[in-house]
């Protein structure tokens, strides 16, 4: 940097730019180098601040994602537990249905045996009744035929009966 002139302090100039131009008139390469360094330092400062803000935003976003993942994980655990419970209940219901189907199968078999037994008993009873009715009719017809034959052989008994 160029040395400052002793006779003129910084006071009295309108701005820093006019003072720099007045004292560094013949040292423009130094002036440009200093301006470049200042720009570099400012850009670095600005970039570091921006990077820090981005880092903070990223951490906040990660924290929010982690919180939502924790909530989602809790929801997922509840959903899986509910599904497993539903599956267990469905299996229990399926077992009950199988038991009831087996019970109904046994009841139907019992009812079919009972119907067959009842049908056989009714058929046997009907056959017995038919046989008994046939025998009774035969006995009655035989009795009547014998009575008529007796009356034909003994007509005097028939006359006494009529009076």
């Amino acid at each position: 940097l160029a040395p400052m002139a002793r006779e003129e302090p910084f006071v009295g100039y309108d701005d820093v730019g006019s003072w720099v131009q007045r004292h560094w008139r013949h040292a423009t390469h130094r002036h440009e180098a200093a301006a470049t360094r200042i720009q570099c330092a400012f850009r670095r400062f600005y970039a570091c601040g921006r990077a820090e803000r981005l880092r903070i935003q990223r951490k906040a976003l990660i924290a929010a994602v982690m919180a939502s993942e924790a909530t989602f994980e809790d929801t997922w655990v509840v959903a899986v537990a509910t599904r497993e419970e539903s599956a267990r209940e469905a299996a229990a219901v399926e077992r009950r249905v199988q038991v009831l189907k087996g019970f109904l199968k046994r009841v139907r078999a019992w009812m079919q045996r009972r119907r067959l037994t009842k049908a056989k008993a009714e058929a046997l009873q009907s056959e017995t009744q038919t046989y008994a009715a046939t025998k009774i009719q035969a006995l009655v017809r035989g009795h009547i035929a014998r009575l008529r034959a007796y009356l034909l052989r003994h007509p005097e008994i028939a006359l006494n009966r009529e009076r």
Side-chain angles (χ1 to χ4, degrees):
L1 294 174
M4 283 180 54
R6 292 250 175 211
E7 68 274 350
E8 290 185 25
F10 184 69
V11 180
Y13 291 97
D14 295 335
D15 60 353
V16 174
S18 64
W19 181 82
V20 168
Q21 286 176 3
R22 173 127 171 27
H23 289 285
W24 284 9
R25 224 176 264 162
H26 304 293
T28 55
H29 65 283
R30 289 184 186 168
H31 176 87
E32 289 175 5
T36 305
R37 285 186 187 143
I38 291 171
Q39 286 177 353
C40 182
F42 177 76
R43 287 179 182 154
R44 181 178 175 276
F45 172 77
Y46 183 74
C48 286
R50 187 161 189 250
E52 182 64 25
R53 285 190 301 276
L54 289 174
R55 194 171 16 259
I56 290 170
Q57 287 177 353
R58 188 178 70 233
K59 285 180 181 180
L61 181 64
I62 289 172
V65 167
M66 294 298 283
S68 67
E69 282 183 6
T71 304
F72 176 74
E73 184 178 351
D74 293 342
T75 306
W76 180 255
V77 167
V78 169
V80 168
T82 304
R83 187 176 189 291
E84 288 174 355
E85 184 177 332
S86 296
R88 282 193 302 272
E89 288 176 1
V93 167
E94 185 63 30
R95 282 193 297 272
R96 288 180 191 137
V97 167
Q98 292 301 324
V99 167
L100 288 175
K101 282 182 180 179
F103 176 73
L104 287 174
K105 187 177 178 181
R106 286 189 297 256
V107 167
R108 286 187 191 118
W110 175 77
M111 289 176 65
Q112 189 175 8
R113 279 194 309 271
R114 186 173 176 200
R115 280 191 215 117
L116 286 174
T117 305
K118 199 172 187 179
K120 285 181 185 178
E122 287 176 0
L124 183 61
Q125 185 179 5
S126 175
E127 188 179 320
T128 305
Q129 286 175 350
T130 304
Y131 179 74
T134 304
K135 284 298 178 182
I136 290 171
Q137 288 174 357
L139 288 172
V140 169
R141 285 182 188 144
H143 176 69
I144 291 173
R146 283 190 299 279
L147 187 60
R148 283 186 186 164
Y150 181 75
L151 290 177
L152 286 177
R153 276 186 262 138
H154 305 286
E156 67 276 358
I157 296 176
L159 288 175
N160 286 340
R161 272 195 166 176
E162 288 178 6
R163 288 189 212 172

